[in-house]
Amino acid sequence: MFEALAINGGTPVRTEPFPSRKPFGQEEEDLLLEAVRSQNLFGKSGTFVPQFEKAFAEFYGAQYAQSSTSGTAAIHLAVGAVNPDPGDEIITAPITDPGSVMPILIQNAIPVFADVDPLSMNMTAESIEANITDRTRAIILVHLFGRSCDTDEVVEIAKAHDVILIEDCSQCHATMYKDRYAGATGHMACYSLQQSKHMTTGDGGMTITNDEETYIRLKLFADKGWDYKYMGERDHAFLAPNYRMTEMQGAVGVAQLKKVRDVTLQRIALGRQLTDLIADAPGVTAVPDQDDREATWWNYIFHVTGHDPDAFVAALKAEGVSAGAHYIGDPIFMRGSFLTEKNTYGKSGFPFTSEVASREYEYTADIVPNAVKALSTVVVMGIHEHMSEEDIRDMGEAIQKVARGL
């Protein structure tokens, strides 16, 4: 006899709330106070933003780091550094946030979507290469849920086709891929510092590179095409937005960077524990560990293939364990009219309807069948460094109970 599910009147596995994440501590408070007492919160003439940029670059083994206001801004800096011509193509992920897509359109380039591995939900090298054309200028390689894509394979593809590789590490801070951190391989790498990320300044972003010319363009692109420290007065080099980070974000970032590796190591350990606990749950498929890369679990995911995922999640919640089915629901290009209806600049449909476009672009589910499959089965659960092994045991017990009870 299986134990009665809580959704059917049984006793729930968990009645106490799970601990909330508390990413900020005394050092963040002290440095914030120091920033405010300086009477200057303008990052370009302050001390914390330059300190944060220097430390961030050193952490990832890069020569340069440019701060910005968000992860989306960090990616926009990278696309701005690529400087695509209108109608050029940039390949990105179908399972991501609009922040991986909007910067492409804002620079009047055209997003193209590679398919994914149906378990990890990361972009595959095979699909990336299949989508390269003579208009491809760059690849934005999105590392999801704290696990790197097959970066080395994508590097070889980028070299063979002479395109720029941008790594989107917004969900993959301080995560080892082979012998280096994710983000240390591409021409540029971008990081979000939004509240939910492994390290956070509330919001903010960082873009790293080893190329000095690229760095100069990143720096100018972050500040209206001008840098008063070494350019002529009001000598704006090109069209660019304003994405300057403040001293408050920089102060918090300095403290956060010191502990991000401890955060990811704890998440690795908790994720491994949960994967082991649900390995034999019927109708459930965990995403297996890989020997050549870490999984630092921005959120924890598994796939439900032997049950209805929505019913599974409802039963989990009744057991006191929160979860969500289907992540973003559909490929990102179907989650709004900016691509399905070419709703971009006024009624123009630019760049899709202009002579700069080299072909017709249709964004439908059938272009990424593996992404559609993955989204139909995936379940997402919150996991963070302030959870205990007991918390994880309850999560595992609830998953096993629901899998067997259904």
Side-chain angles (χ1 to χ4, degrees):
M1 287 287 294
F2 292 122
E3 184 180 357
L5 296 179
I7 201 168
N8 295 327
T11 303
V13 169
R14 178 93 178 197
T15 56
E16 294 293 321
F18 284 89
S20 60
R21 185 184 182 216
K22 297 179 179 178
F24 307 122
Q26 188 63 50
E27 186 171 8
E28 284 88 350
E29 292 183 24
D30 293 343
L31 294 182
L32 269 174
L33 187 58
E34 183 179 336
V36 171
R37 285 177 172 170
S38 75
Q39 299 300 320
N40 173 47
L41 297 179
F42 183 52
K44 293 199 69 170
S45 61
T47 59
F48 283 114
V49 170
Q51 182 183 345
F52 183 30
E53 290 173 337
K54 183 176 185 294
F56 199 95
E58 289 175 351
F59 183 90
Y60 285 99
Q63 291 294 311
Y64 309 102
Q66 176 58 48
S67 61
S68 56
T69 54
S70 67
T72 301
I75 295 171
H76 194 194
L77 294 189
V79 176
V82 172
N83 195 26
D85 286 327
D88 281 348
E89 297 173 353
I90 295 179
I91 297 170
T92 190
I95 302 177
T96 186
D97 180 85
S100 305
V101 183
M102 296 300 188
I104 300 171
L105 284 169
I106 291 171
Q107 288 306 113
N108 293 309
I110 294 177
V112 174
F113 295 92
D115 209 352
V116 304
D117 174 83
L119 275 185
S120 71
M121 302 168 71
N122 272 332
M123 301 163 70
T124 65
E126 178 184 22
S127 184
I128 289 169
E129 186 159 38
N131 278 282
I132 290 178
T133 72
D134 58 1
R135 293 298 300 271
T136 306
R137 284 294 304 279
I139 301 161
I140 298 177
L141 186 66
V142 181
H143 306 302
L144 284 178
F145 296 109
R147 184 191 302 264
S148 174
C149 301
D150 294 325
T151 309
D152 284 352
E153 294 180 33
V154 181
V155 167
E156 293 306 312
I157 292 168
K159 288 179 179 177
H161 295 275
D162 193 25
V163 299
I164 293 173
L165 176 60
I166 301 165
E167 295 185 68
D168 180 352
C169 302
S170 297
Q171 298 182 6
C172 209
H173 288 262
T175 302
M176 292 298 292
Y177 169 74
K178 297 185 177 179
D179 59 350
R180 68 253 187 216
Y181 285 132
T185 305
H187 191 76
M188 288 173 275
C190 308
Y191 300 80
S192 170
L193 302 171
Q194 184 266 343
Q195 182 71 25
S196 71
K197 302 306 189 288
H198 296 88
M199 62 174 287
T200 176
T201 59
D203 218 332
M206 198 73 77
T207 308
I208 62 174
T209 186
N210 286 313
D211 181 73
E212 183 178 13
E213 184 177 344
T214 298
Y215 169 65
I216 291 171
R217 188 166 177 92
L218 289 170
K219 193 172 187 66
L220 295 178
F221 200 83
D223 190 12
K224 298 169 286 189
W226 180 56
D227 192 304
Y228 70 90
K229 290 187 177 180
Y230 65 89
M231 295 178 69
E233 186 175 355
R234 294 297 175 187
D235 184 13
H236 298 269
F238 47 77
L239 181 66
N242 174 4
Y243 286 141
R244 295 187 300 244
M245 178 178 278
T246 72
E247 281 287 274
M248 290 184 289
Q249 292 165 294
V252 174
V254 167
Q256 287 277 295
L257 188 62
K258 295 177 182 178
K259 56 191 181 185
V260 65
R261 184 55 178 161
D262 289 337
V263 167
T264 58
L265 287 173
Q266 180 68 1
R267 291 183 180 220
I268 290 168
L270 295 176
R272 285 176 177 166
Q273 179 189 356
L274 185 52
T275 298
D276 288 343
L277 288 171
I278 67 173
D280 61 349
V284 168
T285 303
V287 185
D289 286 337
Q290 294 170 272
D291 293 339
D292 64 349
R293 72 202 69 182
E294 294 175 339
T296 57
W297 296 118
W298 172 68
N299 277 321
Y300 186 88
I301 63 169
F302 60 92
H303 293 269
V304 175
T305 54
H307 315 281
D308 174 11
D310 295 291
F312 197 97
V313 163
L316 268 184
K317 290 179 179 178
E319 298 296 340
V321 175
S322 181
H326 312 304
Y327 189 36
I328 61 172
D330 299 296
I332 193 63
F333 52 78
M334 299 178 66
R335 304 301 295 176
S337 62
F338 63 99
L339 288 178
T340 56
E341 298 177 24
K342 313 298 190 296
N343 187 8
T344 52
Y345 298 93
K347 298 178 181 178
S348 70
F350 191 88
F352 302 102
T353 58
S354 168
E355 66 276 2
V356 302
S358 60
R359 57 190 171 98
E360 293 287 330
Y361 293 88
E362 293 298 329
Y363 296 100
T364 55
D366 58 357
I367 66 176
V368 286
N370 283 342
V372 172
K373 177 183 178 182
L375 290 169
S376 73
T377 60
V378 72
V379 170
V380 182
M381 303 177 73
I383 189 172
H384 61 78
E385 61 277 11
H386 296 123
M387 288 180 165
S388 67
E389 291 185 3
E390 182 180 353
D391 295 325
I392 299 299
R393 281 195 293 272
D394 284 347
M395 293 167 69
E397 182 181 343
I399 292 169
Q400 284 279 6
K401 179 182 176 183
V402 169
R404 298 178 189 282
L406 288 179

